[in-house]
C-alpha cells in the first residue's frame, strides 16, 4: 500500500470512528439528546476529515472551468443533504465514496505492479573485467563487441553471444515460460534473462537502448497511450453525461415544486412549501450521487490495463488497447510458413544431379549463396561443410523472389527456384521428394537440384485446432515455397487454405484479397517472423510477430509481439483479448443498467441516499473487481 493510500485509509478510519456514534445518536438508537446545531457541528468533523480532498478538487475544478466531474457531483449532493438536515446520509455518502476510491486506487496499483514486475527485467549494471577484477558499470556505457561477465543470480544486461561458460537461464520475464534454457558458447542470449548457475562471458551484439529488455519496456510503457474505441467512447460519454445529469438534477429540484405550487397538484402530501422544496431537493441530491459515472470511467481503462499487463506476463506484448480490442474481433488469420508454422531449421536432405557430380553441384550452390543470410543459403553452406574461399566468387546478383546468379571459378552459376530457371529459358526436372527444391544451372545448362526440408513446430497443429475452437473461421498459409511443399504442410497442420510460390509483394496482395471479407466484427490478423514480413504485418488489421524479439522490423511493423516461437501463444493472445472485451462489455451494461434503474427510482422518490450509496460505491467496487479478472490469464 502506497503512502497516499495509507493516508486515505487513516482518514477513513478516523471519520468512521467519529461517524458511527453520531449516527446512532441522530437516529435515536442511542438515547442521547443533542441540539441540532451541536449535532451539525459534530457531523462536520468526520465530513471534513474524509471529504476535504473531494471538496478541494471540486473547488479547483470550478476555478479552472472544468466543473463537471465526480468531485463536483459528490460535493453538491452531500452539501445539499447536510443543508436539508440529513447529516448522517450526507457524511455516509462521502465516507463510502472515499472507501470506493481507495479500493479503486488499490486495484489500479495492483494492476500497475504486474507491469512494474516486468520492468524488473531492466538490469542496473554490467560487469566488465579490468586488470583481473570485475567492475560494475552502467549498461549504457557498454559498446558493441565488449565482453561482459554475468554471475549466477544476475540479469543479463545486453543482448549478446556466449563466449565462455555454460549455464541455465531463467527467461520467464521475457517469454512467460518457467522452464530454464541451457546455454553455452556460440549461443545467442537476450537481455533480461536471469543467469541461474554458471559464470558466463558474453560478447555484446547491440547497445543498451537497442537491447531486448529496452525494446520490451518501450512497448509496454507506450501501450497505454493507444486507446481503444471503448475507452475513447467512455471518455466522450463522461464529458457529455456529467453535465446532462447535473442539469437534470437541477430540473428535478426546481420544476416539480414550481409545478405543484402553481397547480396545487400534490400539495396535500406536504405540510408546507418548505417541506415541498426539501423533498425535491433531497431527491435531486440522491439523483446526483447515483449518477456519478465512476464505475464506468474507472473500470473500462482498468480492464484494458489489466489485460495488457496479464498478456505481458504471459510473453505476449500488445502495443495498445486498440490492438487488444481488434484482436478480440479477429476471425481470419493468415500465417507465414517458415519460422512461424515450421521451425525454419532448413537442412539439405537430398541432391539430384544432372550433368555434374553431386559434390560439385552442392559446392557451386553453396559458393554462389555464400553472401546470403537466408535460412536456405545457410543450410547449403552447412551441408557443404568447408570454408568459403571468397576469391573464387564474383559478380553476385540477387534476383528478388527467384534466386542468385554468380560467377564461380569463371563459370556462370544460377541457384534458385523454378521461376529463375524459366527466366533463363531452362527446363527443370521434376522431383518426387517433398521439400524446397533449389535448382542449379551452370554455364546456361541445367545441372541438377538440391532438396531442402524444414520441420514443423511441435505445437503448430494444436495451435490451429485451438484457433478453430476460439472461433477463428479461416486460417490461411502464405509461402514462397513450391506447391507440393505448401500442400504437405497445410495438410499436416490443418489450415483451411494456402497459397504457394508467392513473392513478398504477392503476400500483400493475398492479404488485401482476404481483407475484402472483413468488417468491424470480422478482422484479419497476419502472423509472421517479422523479418521478411514487415509489409504484410503492417497491412493486416493486426500484425503478430512471432519469436522476433531481436528483429527491429518486428518491433516496428507488428501490433503484437510474441516473445517466443510457440504458436499456441497466438491462441492464448486471442483468449486474453476476448476475455478483456467481454469484461468491458459486462461492466458497461451492468454499471449503466443499475444506474439508469436507480436514477428512475430517485426521480420518483422511491430511492433514498442509502440506495444511492449502493448504486454508486457498490457498483464501482463490483465493476473494479470484475475488471481485475483480466489480470488472471494463466489458465486460459
Amino acid at each position: 500500500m502506497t503512502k497516499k493510500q495509507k493516508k486515505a485509509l487513516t482518514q477513513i478510519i478516523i471519520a468512521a470512528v467519529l461517524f458511527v456514534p453520531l449516527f446512532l445518536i441522530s437516529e435515536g438508537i442511542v438515547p442521547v439528546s443533542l441540539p441540532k446545531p451541536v449535532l451539525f457541528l459534530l457531523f462536520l468533523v468526520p465530513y471534513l476529515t474524509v471529504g476535504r480532498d473531494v471538496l478541494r478538487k471540486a473547488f479547483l475544478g470550478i476555478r479552472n472551468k472544468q466543473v463537471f466531474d465526480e468531485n463536483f457531483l459528490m460535493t453538491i449532493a452531500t452539501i445539499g443533504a447536510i443543508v436539508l438536515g440529513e447529516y448522517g446520509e450526507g457524511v455516509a455518502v462521502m465516507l463510502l465514496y472515499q472507501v470506493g476510491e481507495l479500493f479503486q486506487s488499490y486495484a489500479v496499483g495492483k494492476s500497475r505492479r504486474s507491469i512494474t514486475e516486468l520492468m524488473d527485467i531492466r538490469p542496473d549494471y554490467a560487469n566488465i573485467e579490468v586488470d583481473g577484477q570485475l567492475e560494475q558499470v552502467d549498461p549504457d556505457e557498454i559498446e558493441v563487441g565488449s565482453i561482459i561477465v554475468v554471475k549466477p543470480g544476475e540479469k543479463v544486461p545486453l543482448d549478446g553471444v556466449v563466449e565462455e561458460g555454460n549455464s541455465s537461464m531463467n527467461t520467464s520475464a521475457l517469454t512467460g515460460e518457467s522452464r530454464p534454457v541451457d546455454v553455452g558458447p556460440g549461443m545467442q542470449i537476450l537481455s533480461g534473462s536471469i543467469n541461474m548457475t554458471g559464470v558466463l562471458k558474453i560478447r555484446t551484439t547491440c547497445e543498451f537502448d537497442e537491447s531486448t529488455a529496452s525494446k520490451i519496456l518501450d512497448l509496454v510503457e507506450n501501450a497505454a497511450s493507444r486507446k481503444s474505441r471503448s475507452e475513447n467512447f467512455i471518455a466522450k460519454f463522461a464529458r457529455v453525461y456529467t453535465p446532462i445529469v447535473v442539469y437534470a438534477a437541477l430540473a428535478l429540484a426546481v420544476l416539480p415544486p414550481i409545478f405543484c405550487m402553481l397547480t396545487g397538484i400534490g400539495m396535500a402530501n406536504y405540510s408546507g412549501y418548505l417541506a415541498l422544496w426539501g423533498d425535491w431537493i433531497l431527491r435531486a441530491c440522491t439523483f446526483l450521487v447515483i449518477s456519478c459515472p465512476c464505475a464506468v470511467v474507472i473500470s473500462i481503462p482498468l480492464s484494458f490495463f489489466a489485460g495488457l499487463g496479464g498478456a505481458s506476463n504471459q510473453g505476449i506484448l500488445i502495443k495498445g488497447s486498440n490492438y487488444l480490442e481488434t484482436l478480440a474481433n479477429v476471425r481470419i488469420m493468415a500465417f507465414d510458413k517458415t519460422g512461424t508454422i515450421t521451425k525454419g531449421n532448413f537442412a539439405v536432405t537430398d541432391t539430384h544431379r544432372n550433368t555434374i557430380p553431386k559434390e560439385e553441384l552442392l559446392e557451386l550452390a553453396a559458393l554462389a549463396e555464400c553472401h546470403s543470410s537466408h535460412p536456405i543459403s545457410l543450410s547449403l553452406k552447412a551441408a557443404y561443410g568447408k570454408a568459403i574461399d571468397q576469391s573464387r566468387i564474383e559478380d553476385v546478383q540477387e534476383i528478388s523472389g527467384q534466386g542468385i546468379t554468380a560467377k564461380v571459378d569463371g563459370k556462370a552459376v544460377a541457384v534458385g527456384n523454378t521461376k529463375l530457371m524459366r527466366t533463363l529459358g531452362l527446363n527443370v526436372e521434376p522431383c518426387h521428394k517433398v521439400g524446397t527444391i533449389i535448382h542449379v544451372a551452370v554455364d546456361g545448362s541445367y545441372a541438377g537440384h538440391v532438396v531442402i526440408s524444414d520441420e514443423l513446430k511441435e505445437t503448430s497443429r494444436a495451435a490451429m485446432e485451438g484457433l478453430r475452437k476460439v472461433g477463428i473461421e479461416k486460417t490461411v498459409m502464405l509461402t514462397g515455397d513450391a506447391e507440393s511443399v505448401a500442400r504437405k504442410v497445410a495438410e499436416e497442420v490443418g489450415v483451411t487454405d494456402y497459397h504457394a510460390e508467392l513473392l513478398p509483394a504477392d503476400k500483400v496482395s493475398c492479404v488485401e484479397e482476404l481483407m475484402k471479407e472483413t468488417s468491424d466484427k470480422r478482422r484479419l490478423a497476419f502472423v509472421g517472423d517479422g523479418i521478411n514480413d514487415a509489409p504484410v504485418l503492417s497491412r493486416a488489421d493486426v500484425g503478430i510477430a512471432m519469436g522476433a524479439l531481436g528483429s527491429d522490423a518486428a518491433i516496428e511493423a507488428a501490433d503484437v509481439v510474441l516473445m517466443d516461437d510457440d504458436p499456441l501463444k497466438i491462441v492464448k493472445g486471442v483468449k486474453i483479448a476476448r476475455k478483456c472485451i467481454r469484461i468491458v462489455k459486462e461492466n458497461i451494461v451492468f454499471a449503466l443498467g443499475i444506474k439508469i434503474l436507480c436514477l428512475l427510482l430517485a426521480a420518483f422518490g422511491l430511492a433514498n441516499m442509502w440506495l444511492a450509496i449502493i448504486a454508486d460505491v457498490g457498483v464501482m467496487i463490483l465493476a473494479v473487481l470484475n475488471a481485475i479478472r483480466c489480470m488472471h490469464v494463466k489458465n486460459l
Side-chain angles (χ1 to χ4, degrees):
M1 187 174 282
T2 65
K3 187 176 180 180
K4 186 176 179 181
Q5 288 170 345
K6 288 177 181 177
K7 180 184 175 184
L9 179 60
T10 303
Q11 290 175 345
I12 289 168
I13 292 171
I14 292 170
V17 169
L18 295 172
F19 168 73
V20 172
L22 289 174
F23 179 74
L24 295 175
I25 291 169
S26 67
E27 293 297 313
I29 298 171
V30 174
V32 175
S33 179
L34 291 174
K36 202 162 187 179
V38 174
L39 201 59
F40 166 74
L41 292 173
L42 290 174
F43 266 115
L44 213 53
V45 176
Y47 178 77
L48 293 176
T49 300
V50 79
R52 63 174 180 268
D53 289 339
V54 174
L55 297 172
R56 181 178 58 83
K57 289 175 184 176
F59 172 74
L60 292 174
I62 294 169
R63 193 177 69 180
N64 297 327
K65 298 180 180 179
Q66 295 177 343
V67 178
F68 300 111
D69 62 8
E70 63 272 17
N71 296 300
F72 178 76
L73 295 181
M74 284 296 130
T75 298
I76 296 299
T78 54
I79 289 176
I82 290 171
V83 168
L84 292 171
E86 302 292 341
Y87 308 141
E89 292 185 2
V91 177
V93 167
M94 188 63 80
L95 178 62
L96 292 175
Y97 172 74
Q98 290 289 51
V99 170
E101 286 291 295
L102 177 63
F103 182 82
Q104 170 260 325
S105 173
Y106 178 77
V108 171
K110 184 177 179 182
S111 181
R112 287 190 182 277
R113 281 194 294 276
S114 73
I115 299 293
T116 305
E117 287 170 8
L118 183 66
M119 301 301 174
D120 287 341
I121 66 175
R122 177 173 283 164
D124 299 320
Y125 62 88
N127 298 317
I128 59 170
E129 195 168 341
V130 179
D131 298 329
Q133 301 291 322
L134 290 183
E135 288 188 7
Q136 292 185 356
V137 299
D138 192 315
D140 275 324
E141 299 175 8
I142 302 295
E143 296 180 355
V144 176
S146 302
I147 300 294
I148 59 174
V149 180
V150 182
K151 296 181 288 185
E154 292 183 331
K155 299 184 187 77
V156 177
L158 297 101
D159 296 356
V161 176
V162 178
E163 290 286 313
E164 291 182 26
N166 293 276
S167 184
S168 292
M169 307 301 295
N170 179 353
T171 62
S172 59
L174 300 177
T175 64
E177 298 295 335
S178 58
R179 289 175 297 177
V181 177
D182 294 329
V183 296
M187 295 182 68
Q188 186 178 10
I189 197 164
L190 300 178
S191 59
S193 305
I194 299 174
N195 186 11
M196 296 173 65
T197 52
V199 176
L200 295 175
K201 288 189 176 181
I202 300 169
R203 183 176 298 278
T204 61
T205 56
C206 67
E207 294 181 350
F208 182 65
D209 288 343
E210 295 299 315
S211 67
T212 296
S214 295
K215 288 178 181 177
I216 291 172
L217 297 179
D218 273 345
L219 282 178
V220 174
E221 288 167 353
N222 293 328
S225 64
R226 297 183 176 95
K227 303 293 185 184
S228 68
R229 286 190 299 176
S230 296
E231 287 175 290
N232 287 328
F233 164 75
I234 291 303
K236 292 175 184 176
F237 168 82
R239 285 198 294 269
V240 174
Y241 167 86
T242 308
I244 287 174
V245 295
V246 170
Y247 292 130
L250 182 62
L252 187 64
V254 174
L255 297 181
I258 291 175
F259 176 78
C260 290
M261 289 169 63
L262 292 176
T263 64
I265 298 173
M267 283 300 299
N269 298 322
Y270 301 100
S271 59
Y273 291 137
L274 193 61
L276 170 68
W277 282 94
D279 178 43
W280 285 98
I281 291 173
L282 188 59
R283 289 191 195 188
C285 291
T286 304
F287 188 92
L288 283 176
V289 174
I290 294 170
S291 67
C292 188
C294 297
V296 177
V297 173
I298 291 167
S299 68
I300 304 312
L302 178 61
S303 298
F304 282 107
F305 193 80
L308 292 171
S312 298
N313 287 336
Q314 294 297 304
I316 305 166
L317 295 181
I318 302 174
K319 285 188 176 181
S321 51
N322 54 334
Y323 301 119
L324 188 73
E325 189 171 44
T326 305
L327 184 61
N329 290 324
V330 167
R331 295 295 181 272
I332 304 170
M333 198 165 283
F335 296 85
D336 175 47
K337 179 182 77 70
T338 306
T340 302
I341 293 175
T342 63
K343 292 181 178 179
N345 296 333
F346 289 95
V348 173
T349 55
D350 216 335
T351 307
H352 298 157
R353 71 182 186 89
N354 188 26
T355 58
I356 60 175
K358 288 184 178 183
E359 293 77 11
E360 185 180 352
L361 180 75
L362 184 59
E363 180 181 26
L364 291 173
L367 290 170
E369 293 271 3
C370 71
H371 294 298
S372 174
S373 59
H374 191 280
I376 287 178
S377 303
L378 297 176
S379 67
L380 288 170
K381 287 181 276 189
Y384 174 52
K386 299 177 184 177
I388 301 293
D389 185 353
Q390 300 285 348
S391 64
R392 299 172 60 188
I393 309 151
E394 56 185 349
D395 295 337
V396 177
Q397 294 183 13
E398 183 172 348
I399 302 171
S400 178
Q402 296 186 21
I404 287 176
T405 61
K407 280 194 175 180
V408 180
D409 297 334
K411 300 175 183 177
V413 178
V415 182
N417 56 23
T418 305
K419 290 179 182 178
L420 178 61
M421 296 298 111
R422 287 174 184 163
T423 301
L424 299 173
L426 300 176
N427 294 320
V428 301
E429 292 185 0
C431 182
H432 64 280
K433 293 289 183 72
V434 175
T436 300
I437 310 300
I438 304 300
H439 300 283
V440 181
V442 180
D443 288 332
S445 299
Y446 184 69
H449 57 259
V450 179
V451 182
I452 297 176
S453 298
D454 190 8
E455 290 182 85
L456 284 178
K457 290 181 179 176
E458 291 82 356
T459 57
S460 289
R461 184 169 185 83
M464 299 304 159
E465 290 175 358
L467 289 171
R468 276 193 292 275
K469 288 178 181 177
V470 297
I472 302 300
E473 299 163 8
K474 181 183 282 190
T475 50
V476 184
M477 185 181 73
L478 309 177
T479 178
D481 273 343
E483 168 75 20
S484 58
V485 177
R487 183 174 61 253
K488 181 174 182 287
V489 173
E491 288 172 353
E492 288 184 358
V493 300
V495 294
T496 55
D497 197 7
Y498 69 90
H499 298 276
E501 300 181 13
L502 300 175
L503 299 175
D506 296 331
K507 289 185 180 181
V508 176
S509 298
C510 283
V511 166
E512 287 179 342
E513 280 297 312
L514 289 169
M515 290 188 72
K516 292 178 181 177
E517 304 174 30
T518 63
S519 64
D520 283 348
K521 298 297 181 184
R522 196 171 189 266
R523 296 293 192 175
L524 178 140
F526 177 80
V527 187
D529 62 14
I531 300 171
N532 305 320
D533 298 313
V536 202
L537 287 166
S538 299
R539 182 66 187 88
D541 292 322
V542 181
I544 303 174
M546 173 174 285
L549 278 181
S551 166
D552 289 330
I555 299 295
E556 291 299 321
D559 308 312
V560 179
V561 179
L562 307 183
M563 291 191 266
D564 61 17
D565 286 326
D566 187 358
L568 281 174
K569 283 283 176 71
I570 304 167
V571 182
K572 180 164 279 191
V574 173
K575 286 182 176 180
I576 290 170
R578 297 221 175 133
K579 178 180 180 180
C580 183
I581 298 304
R582 185 176 67 250
I583 287 172
V584 165
K585 290 177 178 177
E586 287 171 358
N587 280 346
I588 291 174
V589 172
F590 171 69
L592 293 184
I594 295 294
K595 283 195 177 294
I596 290 169
L597 176 62
C598 292
L599 286 172
L600 291 173
L601 293 175
F604 288 103
L606 301 175
N608 57 20
M609 276 284 185
W610 296 108
L611 182 61
I613 294 166
I614 294 170
D616 178 47
V617 180
V619 170
M620 181 175 71
I621 289 174
L622 291 174
V624 168
L625 281 172
N626 198 32
I628 61 177
R629 286 173 51 220
C630 292
M631 296 173 60
H632 305 298
V633 297
K634 288 188 177 180
N635 297 322
L636 285 177

